[in-house]
Amino acid sequence: MIGRFQPDRQLTARMLVTLFLLGLLYVGFVAALLVLLKSTVLVVVIAAALLFGQYWFSDRIALYAMRGRLVTREVQPQLHGVIDRLCATADMPVPRVALADTDLPNAFATGRNADHAVVCVTTGLLRRLEPEELEGVLAHELSHVAHRDVAVITVASFLGVIAGLIVRFAFYSQMFGGRRRGDQNTFAILMAVMAVSAAVYALSFLLIRALSRYRELAADRAAALLTGRPSALASALTKLDGDIARIPSKDLRTAGAFNAFYFVPALGAGASLSRLLSTHPSLEQRLAGLAKISAELGRPA
């Protein structure tokens, strides 16, 4: 192992630019809502509550959604052992460790900072990977924590979440309330809110995915350099990408909401449009990046 996660200035710059652009978008979004809804208190309270909840409870939300549970060293000694070794090498705090009982082979890291981080793996992943492959995947997830991009993605996704919720709320309000009252002003306001929210959601969607694809390549590189075994990470990627394509579609749809946090996206084999708009670069891009690192280290890919 080379030791420590090296700072990634390109990743840091991209995170700052993304947050800046999303901040401008957020200010414009709130201003538009204030004009349309004419209720400063309502808009501010809802926005603040959702941001607070997503930032402070992101780890619990993600674990609950994936049915993950925290596990002790006595329950999962191998998993804890690998994470302990990697954290000692990287000189970083040891995160909490969780396990999700699902055949979907994946892993993710979540939490607002390194001191409140959680690394979760699925039982499906543990069954499929060799020890060196598992080490590569865990190093990848730990690099997200070390580079703080998990917290950035959590905060960045907030705007898209609130915009999506407002679109749904306005739609159902119009369907079950506005038409019945016959209030044309209410109907016009709801349509305007839906249009603004939909535009904000689309823009935040594109910004987040552009950042997310780069951060996955950065995490692959950081993990490969930390472990000194790019080929093990490449093997895990190839194996998991193929196995996920065979997971039933209903299970993939359930997990798809958290794709930005996963090691590999929960996409079926034929989801060409989903892959185009994916939170992750293609398997070919990731393998090419790892092959380049292998060449830099003077080791076979």
Side-chain angles (χ1 to χ4, degrees):
M1 294 188 183
I2 292 178
R4 294 201 176 189
F5 289 114
Q6 299 301 313
D8 191 316
R9 292 182 176 84
Q10 288 192 44
L11 176 60
T12 301
R14 287 168 185 257
M15 288 192 295
L16 290 174
V17 170
T18 299
L19 286 176
F20 175 73
L21 292 176
L22 284 170
L24 291 179
L25 191 60
Y26 180 62
V27 170
F29 181 49
V30 171
L33 291 182
L34 290 174
V35 171
L36 292 169
L37 299 180
K38 296 183 175 65
S39 177
T40 304
V41 174
L42 177 63
V43 173
V44 171
V45 168
I46 292 176
L50 287 175
L51 179 59
F52 176 84
Q54 189 165 8
Y55 181 74
W56 286 91
F57 302 110
S58 59
D59 52 344
R60 300 181 192 180
I61 294 170
L63 287 179
Y64 177 80
M66 282 299 295
R67 299 189 297 276
R69 68 184 191 282
L70 297 176
V71 291
T72 63
R73 285 180 172 77
E74 290 72 27
V75 175
Q76 281 290 331
Q78 179 196 8
L79 190 56
H80 273 276
V82 175
I83 290 178
D84 286 347
R85 289 196 302 274
L86 289 170
C87 288
T89 302
D91 191 24
M92 63 180 290
V94 179
R96 291 169 293 166
V97 179
L99 186 68
D101 188 13
T102 173
D103 192 47
L104 178 70
N106 230 318
F108 65 89
T110 185
R112 61 185 183 272
N113 54 44
D115 293 323
H116 297 87
V118 179
V119 172
C120 180
V121 302
T122 68
T123 52
L125 181 135
L126 292 180
R127 284 196 297 270
R128 288 170 171 86
L129 297 187
E130 298 298 324
E132 287 188 355
E133 295 171 335
L134 176 63
E135 181 185 65
V137 172
L138 292 175
H140 173 104
E141 296 305 325
L142 288 171
S143 78
H144 284 314
V145 176
H147 290 151
R148 299 183 177 88
D149 56 76
V150 169
V152 171
I153 283 292
T154 297
V155 173
S157 63
F158 159 73
L159 185 55
V161 169
I162 190 172
L165 289 174
I166 288 174
V167 169
R168 294 181 186 180
F169 174 76
F171 175 77
Y172 287 120
S173 296
Q174 185 267 326
M175 286 291 293
F176 300 111
R179 286 185 177 180
R180 185 174 60 247
R181 291 191 301 270
D183 187 342
Q184 294 301 315
N185 288 333
T186 300
F187 176 77
I189 290 174
L190 287 173
M191 290 301 97
V193 169
M194 286 182 66
V196 171
S197 299
V200 168
Y201 179 82
L203 290 172
S204 62
F205 178 93
L206 294 175
L207 285 172
I208 291 167
R209 270 148 184 75
L211 171 62
S212 185
R213 285 191 290 269
Y214 183 84
R215 85 183 188 111
E216 292 303 326
L217 293 174
D220 285 346
R221 178 175 180 82
L225 292 175
L226 183 74
T227 63
R229 286 190 286 266
S231 59
L233 185 57
S235 175
L237 274 169
T238 304
K239 185 181 293 185
L240 297 181
D241 186 80
D243 286 352
I244 280 182
R246 292 188 285 271
I247 298 292
S249 296
K250 62 181 181 66
D251 295 332
L252 295 181
R253 284 194 296 269
T254 301
F258 288 90
N259 267 344
F261 294 92
Y262 287 143
F263 175 65
V264 286
L267 297 173
S272 56
L273 180 60
S274 295
R275 289 184 183 276
L276 181 64
L277 299 175
S278 177
T279 52
H280 292 59
S282 67
L283 175 64
E284 291 74 19
Q285 286 178 286
R286 298 177 76 174
L287 293 180
L290 291 170
K292 182 179 179 181
I293 297 170
S294 292
E296 291 173 2
L297 296 176
R299 300 184 182 185

